[in-house]
């Protein structure tokens, strides 16, 4: 299974970006999908999650600015980020909790990361 993330870039404060991530390979089912981010010199932090029932949740600083969605038919997850701030600068990683067969356990797969840079 591979997750391909895209959509990162450089924007000014107040700008917007939409990150995309699609899973491919042998996939039986996908439950939770989401995003983490890692700023330079810091640990990886959780950003947002969307479940198979379309329940969503966000880190506090992202509420009202970030919106996560998914396309289950494409095994894809998206993160719309508005009103970006310099502190949002980080490498963003997508993930998917999935099963490769009906009998396999759920395991987490990660994307390669996409860089978001917000300048003041």
């Amino acid at each position: 299974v591979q997750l391909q993330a895209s959509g990162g870039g450089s924007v000014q404060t107040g700008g917007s970006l939409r990150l995309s991530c699609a899973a491919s390979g042998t996939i039986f089912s996908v439950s939770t999908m989401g995003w983490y981010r890692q700023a330079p010199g810091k640990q990886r932090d959780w950003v947002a999650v969307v479940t198979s029932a379309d329940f969503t949740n966000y880190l506090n600083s992202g509420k009202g600015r970030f919106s996560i969605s998914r396309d289950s038919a494409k095994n894809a997850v998206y993160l719309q980020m508005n009103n970006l701030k310099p502190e949002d600068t980080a490498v963003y990683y997508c993930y998917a909790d999935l099963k490769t067969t009906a009998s396999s356990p759920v395991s987490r797969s990660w994307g390669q990361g996409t860089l978001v840079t917000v300048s003041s």
Side-chain angles (χ1 to χ4, degrees):
V1 176
Q2 290 187 327
L3 271 67
Q4 183 68 41
S6 61
S10 297
V11 297
Q12 293 186 326
T13 297
S16 298
L17 285 172
R18 185 174 187 251
L19 306 184
S20 300
C21 175
S24 61
T26 302
I27 299 172
F28 176 77
S29 64
V30 180
S31 55
T32 300
M33 303 185 81
W35 295 88
Y36 276 71
R37 69 185 182 186
Q38 187 166 19
K42 296 188 177 181
Q43 67 181 21
R44 189 177 295 191
D45 292 326
W46 170 80
V47 174
V49 63
V50 57
T51 70
S52 56
D54 285 330
F55 169 81
T56 61
N57 201 11
Y58 305 90
L59 81 167
N60 285 336
S61 65
K63 291 180 180 178
R65 300 190 299 127
F66 294 176
S67 178
I68 189 170
S69 60
R70 65 188 287 169
D71 183 335
S72 295
K74 296 180 179 179
N75 291 325
V77 62
Y78 309 97
L79 185 67
Q80 176 68 41
M81 303 186 294
N82 300 323
N83 191 22
L84 283 162
K85 304 175 181 180
E87 51 264 41
D88 295 318
T89 295
V91 177
Y92 284 69
Y93 298 90
C94 59
Y95 70 89
D97 296 328
L98 53 86
K99 300 176 67 173
T100 55
T101 69
S103 58
S104 65
V106 175
S107 63
R108 177 161 292 184
S109 294
W110 291 92
Q112 84 285 8
T114 185
L115 177 62
V116 171
T117 303
V118 185
S119 58
S120 58

